[in-house]
């Protein structure tokens, strides 16, 4: 134990030297500790990403021990030295060494991550696919995958010395940022499109004590405003997913999926896409698994390649899927007036479109859209046949699969052939309880059967069924 502790205290100092920020466009390299000064490349304006020196990880024997601990089949928990004692051993910070935070004392955590990977045999049978799992990210502390990114983003804000943070949001980002800021005693400012976010999410932001501004416009307007303010006022850190530290937290979902599948890489991963941050993160996670040479560490075949990623958008807000449909890689046509009832992904001008398209093409995956009607029927199907209640946006991957299965003899025959024998993971990003109104639309509680408070009437009602 003593040996492990002293090893990690000696590598923590050097950890810093192995991480940089790199421009996704022109590949200019920046020092991470300088990050607070800009969100984008100062040379070409493109987004930045965190890069790790992989040769260091490959050649460093103790780091391999860490990978072994993290990924071995029969886990006995994470070494104490990697986490503060009060943290869950199954969450995001289990992967501390693969995350660019220097000092563990800066960690702001709600024990996020470690969410259930649930096999869905009923739906798999119905769709005619071999194996299907839902990674239920709605089980995170504030009810969405955003917590993975926020624990890292807010911890980094603390490490960089920020006292104020800001985001624009369709709901989940604001709820998550508000929670982590409350724990870190940071001023939290959130911008939300007025009337366009789910009740549960705004209630969360209020409860956690955020300063909330409702913008008379859409999400894209809100993000433009937040970005401008944070660029001109360097005392506020923008924590939307264009912040590369958010991506570093969100990538851990891929590590977990591989671990939970018994150190095996799935064939397809399907997820909803809005701004494009999460698909970027998921791809980064799977790519890193192959970069660090996990296969040789665990001494087992984990899969010959990373999974194909399928990004699913809502029909009325699908600029990335439309670009993919016509084979474009270098541009998208933003949607001026995006519209979908799946409010979380009602985004017309996704800021991470370039990274998202790169993830889709590099993984040899695809992007597609589904209608709101398909989304809502998939939400009900998942709840009523598997017991998993997700918010509308999170049902988009199931809606896509349903569409592929339904059109297997027509325009989706190629997709179906690719998927029917594969191991599929759908990432269901948010909890259904956040947005009960979406589900209850068109349902009057009055229409549910009412009975008087005696056993006789229950008996009568049951036999009349
Ligand atoms: N699913 C849910 C439940 C979301 O809240 C979001 C995004 C996405 C999927 C799409 O992820 O933007 O990284 O492609 N919600 C953001 C928010 C925009 O403000 O909560 P993405």
């Amino acid at each position: 134990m003593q040996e492990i502790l002293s090893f990690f205290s000696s590598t923590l100092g050097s950890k810093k030297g192995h991480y940089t920020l790199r421009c996704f466009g022109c590949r200019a390299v920046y020092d991470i500790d300088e990050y607070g000064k800009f969100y984008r490349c100062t040379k070409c304006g493109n987004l930045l990403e965190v890069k790790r020196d992989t040769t260091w990880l490959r050649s460093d024997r103790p780091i391999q021990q860490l990978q072994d601990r993290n990924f071995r089949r029969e886990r006995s928990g994470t070494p104490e030295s990697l986490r503060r004692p009060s943290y869950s051993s199954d969450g995001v910070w289990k992967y501390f060494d693969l995350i660019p935070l220097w000092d563990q004392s800066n960690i702001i955590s709600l024990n996020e991550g470690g969410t259930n990977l649930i096999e869905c045999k009923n739906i798999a049978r119905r769709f005619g696919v071999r194996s299907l799992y839902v990674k239920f990210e709605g089980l995170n502390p504030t009810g969405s995958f955003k917590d993975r990114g926020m624990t890292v983003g807010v911890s980094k804000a603390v490490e960089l010395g920020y006292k104020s943070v800001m985001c624009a949001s369709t709901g989940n980002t604001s709820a998550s940022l508000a929670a982590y800021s409350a724990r870190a005693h940071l001023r939290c400012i959130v911008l939300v499109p007025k009337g366009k976010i789910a009740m549960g999410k705004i209630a969360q932001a209020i409860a956690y004590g955020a300063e909330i501004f409702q913008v008379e416009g859409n999400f894209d307007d809100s993000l433009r405003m937040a970005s401008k303010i944070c660029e001109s006022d360097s005392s506020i850190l923008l924590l939307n997913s264009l912040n590369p530290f958010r991506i570093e937290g969100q990538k851990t979902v891929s590590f977990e999926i591989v671990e939970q599948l018994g150190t095996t890489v799935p064939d397809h991963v399907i997820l909803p896409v809005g701004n494009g941050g999460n698909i970027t993160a998921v791809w980064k996670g799977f790519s890193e698994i192959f970069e660090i040479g996990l296969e040789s560490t665990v001494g087992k075949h984990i899969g010959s390649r990373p999974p194909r990623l399928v990004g699913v958008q809502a029909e009325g807000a699908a600029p990335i899927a439309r670009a993919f449909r016509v084979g474009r890689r270098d541009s998208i046509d933003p949607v001026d007036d995006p519209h979908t009832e799946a409010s979380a992904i009602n985004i017309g001008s996704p800021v991470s479109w370039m990274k998202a398209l790169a993830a889709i093409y590099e993984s040899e995956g695809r992007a597609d859209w589904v209608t709101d009607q398909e989304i809502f029927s998939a939400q009900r199907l998942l709840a009523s046949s598997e017991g998993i209640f997700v918010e509308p946006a999170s049902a988009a991957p199931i809606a896509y699969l349903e569409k592929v299965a339904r059109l297997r003899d027509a325009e989706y025959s190629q997709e179906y052939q690719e998927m029917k024998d594969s191991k599929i993971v759908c990432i269901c990003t948010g909890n259904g309880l956040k947005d009960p109104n979406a589900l209850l639309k068109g349902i009057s509680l009055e229409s549910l059967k009412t009975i008087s408070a005696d056993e006789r009437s229950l008996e009568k009602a049951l036999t009349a069924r």
Side-chain angles (χ1 to χ4, degrees), residues 24 47 139 142 168 297 405 417:
F24 197 75
L47 297 184
L139 298 177
T142 77
T297 309
Q417 286 308 319

Side-chain angles (χ1 to χ4, degrees), residues 143-146 167-175 201 219 240-241 246-247 250 271-280 320 343-345 347 391 393-394 428-431 434:
S144 84
F145 73 101
K146 304 286 178 180
C167 72
S169 180
T170 57
N172 284 323
T173 299
S174 57
K201 301 176 188 177
F219 169 82
N240 278 95
S241 60
R246 282 268 315 271
I247 304 299
Q250 287 172 212
L271 70 162
V273 171
N275 237 345
N278 205 32
I279 196 164
T280 304
I320 292 174
S343 58
I345 50 172
I347 295 173
E391 70 165 279
S394 308
C428 290
T429 44
N431 200 305
K434 282 181 171 261

